[in-house]
């Protein structure tokens, strides 16, 4: 598992940070499927979301925009598919 556990204590509560799982997809695209351009696009979308200040609870800090699991995933997709 890319995130070292399934965290059943927070399942269904929109608290998990999906970025490690999303970045594991980038690794799969690059190393297993031979799709480096697509892998770069996924990684760039994650970087842009973080530059834009979005944070889930586990990495939130003052001045950042607090979002849940679904909103973080949606933010990455929005930057991946304009």
């Amino acid at each position: 598992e890319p995130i070292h556990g399934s965290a059943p204590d927070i399942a269904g509560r929109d608290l998990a940070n999906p970025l490690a799982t999303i970045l594991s997809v980038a690794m799969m695209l690059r190393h297993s499927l031979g799709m480096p351009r697509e892998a770069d696009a996924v990684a760039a979308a994650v970087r842009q979301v973080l530059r834009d200040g979005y944070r889930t609870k586990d990495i939130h800090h003052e001045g950042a925009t607090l979002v849940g699991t679904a909103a973080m995933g949606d933010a990455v997709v929005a930057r991946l598919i304009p």
Side-chain angles (χ1 to χ4, degrees):
E1 295 177 39
I3 44 96
H4 306 294
S6 58
D9 57 319
I10 62 170
R13 296 176 51 200
D14 201 38
L15 295 175
N17 182 337
L19 296 181
T21 300
I22 292 168
L23 288 170
S24 73
V25 170
M27 290 176 61
M28 177 185 68
L29 289 167
R30 182 178 314 283
H31 299 293
S32 297
L33 301 176
M35 301 172 75
R37 197 172 81 216
E38 291 82 353
D40 289 345
V42 171
V46 169
R47 281 192 303 274
Q48 188 60 52
V49 164
L50 293 172
R51 273 195 298 269
D52 291 344
Y54 292 93
R55 300 291 189 275
T56 50
K57 185 176 180 180
D58 61 317
I59 60 172
H60 187 256
H61 57 82
E62 187 175 329
T65 301
L66 180 62
V67 296
T69 307
M72 182 64 90
D74 290 346
V76 173
V77 170
R79 283 145 186 87
L80 186 59
I81 305 171

